[in-house]
Amino acid sequence: MSHEPPQHGGDPGQQGSESWPPRDPSAAAPAPDTQHPDGAQASERRTKRPKRPKRTGWRRAVPTWRMVLGGVLLLALLLVGGFIAGYQIVDIPPANASATAQSNVYLYEDGTVIARDGEINRENIPLRRVPRPIQHAVLAAEDRDFYSEDAIDIKATLRAGWNTVTGKGRQGGSTITQQYVKNYYLGQEQTVVRKAKEFFISIKLDREQSKDEILEGYLNTSYFGRNAYGIQAAAHAYYGKDVEDLDAGQGAYLASLLNAPSSYDVVAHPENRKAVLARWNYVLDGMVKHHWLTRADRAAMTFPVPGEAKPATALSGQRGYIVQAVENYLTANRIIDENTLSTGGYRITTTLQKKKQDALVEAVQDNVLSQTSDEREADRNVRAGGASIDPATGHVVALYGGVDYTKQYVNNATRRDYQVGSTFKPFVLAAALANGSTTQKDRAITPNTRYDGDNKRTVQSAAGSTGYAPANEDDVDYGSITVREATDKSVNAVYAQMAQDVGPDQVKETAVALGIPQDTPDLTASPSIALGPATASVLDMASAYATLADHGRQRPHTLVAKISKNATELELPARKTRRAISREAADTTTSVLRSVVDGGTGTAARNAGRPAAGKTGTAEEDKAAWFAGYTPDLATVIAVMGQDPDTGVQKPLYGALGLARMNGGGPPAQTWAAYTRAALQDSEVKAFDLQADEGPEEPEPDESAEGEDTEEAGGTEEPGEGRDSQEPGTGDTREERDATRPRTPDATSDALTSPRTPRTATPADGPRRAPAPQGTAARETDGRREAAARAADGRREAAARETSRRENATREAAGPEATTPRENRSAGRRNRDGQGPDGPTRP
């Protein structure tokens, strides 16, 4: 078979049956070379391309253009595919724990920072709190085109990634968005994986959040050195103020720190001052360039040297005690629970006033701590606590918890384990006055009412002896003494009997109404309640005394004025003012307590230079000494306590501060006076506005007089037989330590002597009072249940001795028909037929 193409004639329309005609007959086949002997075969050979010569030598290593193009296309496909895959795979993660951790910030009433708790020193604030110049300073330092650029600076990102891969260390150039993603969502590690995540998260975040939101997050998460995270913490760390109070120059310095926080701390590293100034100038020049700062203002600026760095002792000194007390207040009042508070981020404005707080700390230092000596063993046990309240508002304005929270953890201002001693006595008097109480012989209790003040005199009830016989301080006998004098001298015998006359339950109720917590340990309703076995805290006592200072109006004290988080305020409980006791009762109590300061056991308090009322107190075995007092505008309680620093056991203060005995009229009253003088030095001196009822004066009885409320009723009846079975409280004070034996009338002197100085003779040394005639029926007399007692005539029959007073001087001057002051007071309680509660009255 011939391989030659079929030959056609000159007619182009004639075709063979086995081939297709060419579109261009002239190009259907090459014209045979008629000069070549084999023209057809020569034409076929010319249609084949010659082979390229093989690449040799160095040319073999150079890619062809086809290879380059293919590689570029492949790389582009990989990048696009990788971008799509990465965008789909990488989601915006939750914030890392360190980025969200904040400290709670505690502030004085005026906004000055007291303390920050928590390991992370950060306080998140909204962008609106950051002044525009400060925002512009940060943009000038870190990302001047932040508001106009995309989330990613491709060129800078590639450069940083390449430098990381090649081991050239950390490289900058990221946008603010990328830095925020690194701070808030990721971490500070320099890896390709972290860079890739940062890339995709930044793109997504830029689509989901506004520029303002991103800038706010960046300002709150950036580290500025000095353990300050966020612009607000940095403002306090370097300049001691809120960010709102910074000027443009200070803001520019803080912005400069972002580049190298530790190295650019010019105080810690003065050798870097030149570099710091160069960076600071760079920031300010950038602000001028972008018209965020005028050239004139720029030229007038000088470098704002920051303050000294403070050591990382966030809770040292009084800070820890204040934080502890505030947290206890918030949780106890159910404002916020402990777990929620521990998450941080709360801004708590307290009621504390910095001036008064500093004055209290200084007063304790000068009058207590500076008096200690390493050479005295007792001084190692000395502890101090103090609290001060504004009576008009109930605001706690100063608090002293101890020498240093980092050295002594227990807060002496809020602890409830030391007896309050005789500082409790005013509550007994207030209860008597508020309830119109009377003595056992139906005499109204007033500041002028007389009691038997002899040492270890047994307390009497309407049914007879209670078996409780408290000792006076230093076992002194005082004989007949008024309530005012007994308060001045803190006579235990008088106040124990008065508590029984008023009713121990009523005394407890009044103390609680004034501000003592209901659940106070050893707040027991027995005659011993008057001597202060209860262990209320210093703050509790200040609250109760503030009620007396405010004329009997009681309002719960508070330590918190405002609390917020992320600019949202939490609701604080309502604090309703209520009347605890009548104004007359409160003011009369104040009148008596003024005598304590003017001429009683609390005269050291006069150094305050203000009209003052107060009461001293000493716990059992001198384990604590107290002074509780007030002016018209400030109620303060100071306590000095004894505690072994190693075991925590309460210790007596004998010999402490170089004193043989520790009592409330010493260092506690001196500290109170120094504090009050300093705290009120710039305020007007106010006098007490009192509506007091002193009551009629009672004349001193003769030694042979009979019938006073000081005699022991009930004949020789043994304790426990048909009489009040109340026992002393479980926390008897030092004054009660020798009063555990019941006494019978035969073992005591019932005589009331004429005016005399306190004596130390025992009751047996005095003349005995003749027994009164027997057989007269007597009804139980109790002022607060007078109507019920009279209606219960015949409920109890007992032998009673008829009373008679020999007031010769008075009767001689007034005539035989004159009545005594006591009879005058009882006249209103007589029956219409002229009968008194015990039968016919005497002329």
Side-chain angles (χ1 to χ4, degrees):
M1 181 176 178
S2 174
H3 295 283
E4 294 180 0
Q7 299 296 319
H8 302 291
D11 185 358
Q14 294 180 358
Q15 303 177 3
S17 59
E18 297 179 0
S19 64
W20 295 96
R23 295 181 181 177
D24 184 0
S26 64
D33 188 355
T34 57
Q35 302 297 326
H36 198 280
D38 190 2
Q41 293 183 4
S43 178
E44 183 178 353
R45 285 194 297 268
R46 283 197 299 269
T47 61
K48 295 182 179 179
R49 294 180 180 178
K51 294 183 177 179
R52 292 176 181 272
K54 292 185 177 180
R55 299 164 62 87
T56 60
W58 60 270
R59 292 183 178 88
R60 297 175 61 183
V62 178
T64 66
W65 67 271
R66 291 184 180 89
M67 294 172 62
V68 173
L69 180 60
V72 170
L73 292 175
L74 178 61
L75 180 61
L77 289 173
L78 290 175
L79 289 176
V80 172
F83 178 84
I84 295 173
Y87 192 84
Q88 295 296 327
I89 294 173
V90 178
D91 291 324
I92 298 178
N96 60 58
S98 62
T100 57
Q102 299 182 63
S103 57
N104 292 320
V105 183
Y106 298 82
L107 311 167
Y108 284 111
E109 186 182 51
D110 63 1
T112 305
V113 174
I114 300 173
R116 300 172 185 269
D117 65 356
E119 297 180 0
I120 301 296
N121 181 18
R122 175 189 287 117
E123 179 189 354
N124 288 343
I125 59 173
L127 186 63
R128 64 176 179 272
R129 284 188 57 190
V130 182
R132 282 289 185 180
I134 311 304
Q135 296 181 37
H136 291 154
V138 172
L139 295 178
E142 294 297 305
D143 192 352
R144 298 179 181 181
D145 299 319
F146 169 70
Y147 277 94
S148 60
E149 71 183 1
D150 293 329
I152 301 296
D153 185 339
I154 299 295
K155 183 178 179 180
T157 301
L158 292 176
R159 180 179 65 247
W162 173 256
N163 289 329
T164 300
V165 171
T166 56
K168 293 185 179 179
R170 298 182 58 179
Q171 300 293 321
S174 299
T175 65
I176 281 180
T177 303
Q178 290 174 274
Q179 294 182 60
Y180 170 51
V181 168
K182 178 180 64 176
N183 294 339
Y184 192 73
Y185 296 104
L186 300 175
Q188 303 302 316
E189 66 275 7
Q190 295 294 318
T191 64
V192 175
V193 174
R194 199 273 294 163
K195 277 289 185 182
K197 289 183 177 179
E198 176 188 305
F199 179 87
F200 292 111
I201 295 172
S202 297
I203 294 174
K204 286 190 172 183
L205 192 67
D206 195 50
R207 296 170 62 90
E208 296 183 10
Q209 292 188 7
S210 68
K211 290 289 188 180
D212 282 350
E213 290 174 319
I214 293 173
L215 181 59
E216 176 183 307
Y218 174 72
L219 291 174
N220 283 321
T221 57
S222 296
Y223 182 61
F224 290 82
R226 296 192 180 183
N227 193 37
Y229 292 84
I231 191 73
Q232 171 72 350
H236 280 278
Y238 288 91
Y239 293 107
K241 59 180 69 174
D242 287 330
V243 68
E244 295 97 326
D245 300 323
L246 296 177
D247 58 35
Q250 293 168 334
Y253 174 67
L254 295 184
S256 301
L257 290 168
L258 293 167
N259 187 254
S262 298
S263 299
Y264 283 1
D265 186 342
V266 72
V267 175
H269 299 283
E271 69 277 8
N272 293 338
R273 182 179 179 86
K274 184 177 181 180
V276 172
L277 286 174
R279 183 67 178 175
W280 182 70
N281 286 320
Y282 166 79
V283 174
L284 292 176
D285 291 343
M287 295 177 68
V288 172
K289 182 178 180 180
H290 282 73
H291 307 290
W292 295 329
L293 183 67
T294 66
R295 292 187 181 277
D297 290 341
R298 165 71 181 89
M301 285 186 180
T302 57
F303 181 71
V305 178
E308 293 285 340
K310 297 180 180 179
T313 53
L315 299 182
S316 63
Q318 297 303 306
R319 298 182 187 92
Y321 300 120
I322 293 172
V323 168
Q324 184 187 75
V326 171
E327 289 181 349
N328 290 342
Y329 176 83
L330 291 172
T331 55
N333 288 276
R334 298 181 179 179
I335 299 170
I336 188 173
D337 64 83
E338 187 174 357
N339 291 334
T340 304
L341 185 62
S342 66
T343 61
Y346 289 93
R347 185 178 179 87
I348 304 163
T349 302
T350 71
T351 58
L352 299 175
Q353 298 177 16
K354 191 175 189 307
K355 173 190 170 183
K356 291 182 173 62
Q357 178 68 27
D358 292 344
L360 182 55
V361 172
E362 184 177 359
V364 174
Q365 176 64 36
D366 292 346
N367 294 276
V368 180
L369 300 183
S370 66
Q371 306 303 313
T372 60
S373 171
D374 295 336
E375 298 178 358
R376 287 191 293 265
E377 180 67 19
D379 283 354
R380 68 190 295 267
N381 301 325
V382 172
R383 301 287 182 270
S388 185
I389 294 178
D390 181 352
T393 62
H395 288 180
V396 180
V397 296
L399 197 73
Y400 186 90
V403 62
D404 190 321
Y405 184 75
T406 61
K407 299 176 182 178
Q408 177 195 320
Y409 177 73
V410 179
N411 192 334
N412 295 327
T414 58
R415 67 190 303 171
R416 289 174 176 161
D417 57 348
Y418 279 88
Q419 296 175 347
V420 301
S422 294
T423 55
F424 196 92
K425 287 175 180 173
F427 306 154
V428 180
L429 176 59
L433 298 170
N435 292 281
S437 301
T438 60
T439 67
Q440 294 294 317
K441 291 301 178 180
D442 199 28
R443 292 180 298 119
I445 299 176
T446 71
N448 290 320
T449 302
R450 288 190 171 275
Y451 273 93
D452 184 348
D454 279 347
N455 182 54
K456 296 183 180 180
R457 178 190 173 279
T458 304
V459 173
Q460 302 296 313
S461 71
S465 173
T466 64
Y468 174 51
N472 291 331
E473 178 81 13
D474 296 327
D475 294 325
V476 175
D477 288 329
Y478 291 97
S480 177
I481 190 172
T482 66
V483 169
R484 181 182 293 276
E485 293 170 330
T487 308
D488 291 347
K489 298 176 173 61
S490 200
V491 181
N492 292 336
V494 171
Y495 267 90
Q497 181 62 56
M498 191 191 305
Q500 180 62 43
D501 293 345
V502 177
D505 287 330
Q506 194 65 51
V507 172
K508 179 179 179 179
E509 290 177 11
T510 300
V512 171
L514 290 171
I516 301 300
Q518 178 78 38
D519 59 351
T520 298
D522 294 328
L523 186 62
T524 306
S526 69
S528 68
I529 193 174
L531 309 188
T535 57
S537 72
V538 171
L539 185 55
D540 295 334
M541 295 297 288
S543 181
Y545 271 71
T547 303
L548 295 175
D550 197 33
H551 310 290
R553 292 187 293 257
Q554 199 277 336
R555 54 181 58 81
H557 70 264
T558 180
L559 272 161
V560 178
K562 184 171 65 174
I563 177 173
S564 63
K565 184 172 184 179
N566 298 329
T568 300
E569 288 193 25
L570 278 67
E571 184 178 358
L572 296 176
R575 296 187 306 113
K576 296 182 179 180
T577 301
R578 59 181 180 80
R579 179 154 294 283
I581 57 176
S582 66
R583 172 164 186 168
E584 183 179 279
D587 287 358
T588 304
T589 302
T590 296
S591 174
V592 173
L593 295 183
R594 289 202 62 189
S595 298
V596 175
V597 173
D598 291 341
T601 58
T603 54
R606 289 186 299 182
N607 290 330
R610 302 260 171 167
K615 184 70 185 75
T616 58
T618 308
E620 181 182 10
E621 296 180 349
D622 281 9
K623 292 179 180 177
W626 299 66
F627 185 80
Y630 51 94
T631 66
D633 41 16
L634 197 62
T636 307
V637 176
I638 304 293
V640 177
M641 309 163 181
Q643 182 179 21
D644 190 296
D646 299 324
T647 65
V649 175
Q650 295 185 13
K651 292 288 186 179
L653 291 168
Y654 302 128
L657 308 185
L659 303 172
R661 297 281 300 277
M662 181 69 69
N663 57 66
Q670 294 163 4
T671 302
W672 185 94
Y675 161 72
T676 302
R677 173 181 289 274
L680 299 177
Q681 64 178 354
D682 296 329
S683 62
E684 178 186 357
V685 176
K686 295 182 180 179
F688 284 102
D689 178 19
L690 303 181
Q691 298 178 8
D693 181 8
E694 304 293 334
E697 292 186 3
E698 294 186 2
E700 184 85 19
D702 293 336
E703 288 190 0
S704 58
E706 299 176 359
E708 280 291 343
D709 294 286
T710 54
E711 64 183 272
E712 296 180 355
T716 59
E717 187 176 303
E718 294 296 326
E721 294 181 10
R723 64 183 64 180
D724 192 341
S725 60
Q726 285 180 312
E727 296 293 332
T730 58
D732 295 339
T733 61
R734 177 173 56 76
E735 292 87 343
E736 300 171 275
R737 64 185 184 279
D738 297 327
T740 57
R741 302 189 307 274
R743 299 170 59 201
T744 62
D746 293 27
T748 184
S749 171
D750 293 322
L752 295 176
T753 60
S754 58
R756 56 193 170 102
T757 58
R759 56 187 175 85
T760 56
T762 62
D765 294 332
R768 294 180 182 273
R769 183 177 296 165
Q774 305 293 317
T776 303
R779 295 185 178 91
E780 174 182 331
T781 304
D782 189 337
R784 62 189 177 86
R785 296 190 181 95
E786 186 174 325
R790 291 178 178 175
D793 183 25
R795 182 174 55 186
R796 185 182 325 197
E797 294 291 338
R801 291 172 289 186
E802 181 180 3
T803 62
S804 62
R805 299 175 60 106
R806 296 180 180 181
E807 300 172 344
N808 297 331
T810 302
R811 294 185 183 278
E812 289 176 0
E817 299 300 320
T819 59
T820 66
R822 176 168 56 94
E823 292 169 335
N824 287 330
R825 288 198 304 273
S826 301
R829 289 189 285 272
R830 295 175 182 168
N831 297 329
R832 292 182 179 178
D833 58 1
Q835 301 281 326
D838 296 325
T841 57
R842 298 196 310 273

